[in-house]
């Protein structure tokens, strides 16, 4: 459904959450022009659901990958 998170932390929309999602978001936040994130990827990337993408979301994605949460 458009406008909803389809997979929390799945920045690259490949149906899995792994380190590559955290790396992609970190590159995007660093304004790397080659780091393309789709609209759905941005929705999925806002892990803390505060309405903005930030380094804390990268850390939360890594916690998901490490299965800390």
């Amino acid at each position: 459904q458009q406008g909803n998170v389809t997979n929390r932390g799945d920045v690259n929309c490949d149906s899995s959450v792994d380190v590559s999602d955290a790396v992609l978001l970190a590159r995007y936040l660093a304004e790397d022009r080659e780091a393309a994130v789709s609209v759905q990827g941005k929705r999925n990337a806002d892990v803390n659901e505060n309405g903005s993408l930030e380094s804390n979301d990268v850390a939360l994605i890594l916690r998901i990958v490490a299965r800390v949460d």
Side-chain angles (χ1 to χ4, degrees):
Q1 197 174 40
Q2 191 173 17
N4 293 331
V5 172
T6 56
N7 190 6
R8 187 173 77 120
D10 185 15
V11 182
N12 61 12
C13 298
D14 68 352
S15 299
S16 67
V17 179
D18 54 33
V19 173
S20 66
D21 295 295
V23 170
L24 178 57
L25 181 56
R27 288 177 58 204
Y28 178 79
L29 293 173
E31 299 180 7
D32 180 340
R33 292 178 188 234
E34 294 181 18
V37 179
S38 69
V39 172
Q40 186 62 55
K42 290 175 186 174
R43 289 184 189 113
N44 295 345
D46 186 15
V47 179
N48 63 8
E49 300 176 333
N50 71 350
S52 65
L53 301 179
E54 56 201 10
S55 60
N56 190 43
D57 292 307
V58 175
L60 291 172
I61 291 169
L62 291 172
R63 289 177 65 91
I64 291 169
V65 171
R67 297 196 168 126
V68 174
D69 289 334

